[in-house]
Amino acid sequence: MRSRKFLKAEQASLVWDAPGLMAGVDEAGRGPLAGPVVAAAVILDDLRPIRGLADSKTLTALQRERLHDQIMAKALCCSVAQASVEEIDRFNILQATMMAMRRAVDGLRLKPAKVLVDGNRLPVLDVLAEAIVKGDARVKAISAASILAKVHRDRLCEQLHLEFPHYGFANHKGYGTPEHMEALERHGACAHHRRSFSPVAAAYARMGTDAVVTQEVVVANGVVVDATGIVAAP
């Protein structure tokens, strides 16, 4: 009879790397209460090194913008993708993040032989992949991906700010800061907020089950209302 030890499956780490191009992958926007989650994939060019690559969270906004432009100009190829607020609410933020990462890899012009992903989870890919904890600080290609994802998402939040200035998206980028929580309390949630996140769910509960802020008006129970009263019935 075989021993229990013999029957127990063990996972061995790979001691070899597939020859070919290597892509770094990272995301931005898992924690915010609003906006999509964004992922980027980058294949760097060893012949055109980029100085200053680091975890995007350790860089200033100006440094990220400058590095973003260098990455776009010097990398062999880059891809930025996202999962929408609707997908986040439907599948949960983890699954939506994996979706965005897979889309970013699939969007690369060149097919990598291996993908290095920041964190401890991997999206479903058709190439060899490895998850690296704190990879955004350890692997230059992942650092580059983190910068592209962060800059892209910050720009999206600045666009949201133009549409919904009363929430302050340009300042907090959708995160649950005191400013953002106060705006949720005062104005309720808008269409770009994640309903599956508890502070937003609470805002919807205060507004009414079917309520959503659309720019400067509120749609509640099928009737459009603003500060002056009923405007129109859809």
Side-chain angles (χ1 to χ4, degrees):
M1 182 177 177
R2 294 179 179 178
S3 68
R4 291 181 179 274
K5 181 177 181 181
F6 181 85
L7 293 173
K8 184 179 179 181
E10 296 183 357
Q11 182 175 345
S13 59
L14 296 173
V15 294
W16 55 273
D17 279 329
L21 299 174
M22 187 273 292
V25 176
D26 201 2
E27 54 76 25
R30 284 185 65 173
L33 306 179
V37 59
V38 175
V42 179
I43 299 178
L44 293 174
D45 186 348
D46 292 338
L47 300 180
R48 305 181 73 189
I50 301 171
R51 296 183 60 182
L53 290 175
D55 175 7
S56 62
K57 295 185 292 295
T58 68
L59 302 170
T60 66
L62 180 59
Q63 288 173 323
R64 287 194 296 267
E65 288 284 348
R66 289 175 175 172
L67 286 167
H68 172 277
D69 293 344
Q70 290 189 57
I71 295 164
M72 296 298 291
K74 293 184 176 181
L76 286 177
C77 61
C78 309
S79 173
V80 179
Q82 63 188 49
S84 68
V85 170
E86 292 77 15
E87 289 171 323
I88 292 170
D89 289 338
R90 180 179 179 186
F91 299 108
N92 74 46
I93 184 60
L94 174 60
Q95 294 306 316
T97 300
M98 296 298 106
M99 292 167 63
M101 287 182 170
R102 184 176 70 250
R103 290 166 181 168
V105 174
D106 290 345
L108 287 169
R109 178 176 58 83
L110 302 173
K111 187 176 181 65
K114 184 174 182 180
V115 174
L116 302 181
V117 180
D118 182 55
N120 59 4
R121 293 178 181 270
L122 290 171
V124 177
L125 301 170
D126 62 355
V127 297
L128 180 67
E130 180 181 354
I132 300 181
V133 176
K134 297 183 179 179
D136 48 6
R138 299 167 55 191
V139 179
K140 290 187 180 300
I142 298 179
S143 300
S146 75
I147 292 167
L148 291 193
K150 173 65 174 169
V151 170
H152 183 85
R153 193 178 188 283
D154 283 357
R155 291 175 178 177
L156 289 177
C157 288
E158 288 165 5
Q159 293 175 13
L160 291 184
H161 184 81
L162 298 177
E163 186 179 0
F164 298 95
H166 45 283
Y167 289 107
F169 286 125
N171 298 324
H172 53 65
K173 305 301 189 291
Y175 284 90
T177 63
E179 175 193 5
H180 194 181
M181 298 301 288
E182 181 181 354
L184 272 175
E185 180 76 27
R186 178 177 300 178
H187 304 290
C190 75
H192 299 286
H193 280 100
R194 302 172 180 178
R195 290 174 178 248
S196 55
F197 281 43
S198 56
V200 179
Y204 272 104
R206 290 192 298 270
M207 296 162 64
T209 305
D210 300 321
V212 58
V213 174
T214 57
Q215 295 190 34
E216 299 301 327
V217 300
V218 174
V219 181
N221 299 319
V223 179
V224 181
V225 180
D226 67 6
T228 65
I230 295 177
V231 176

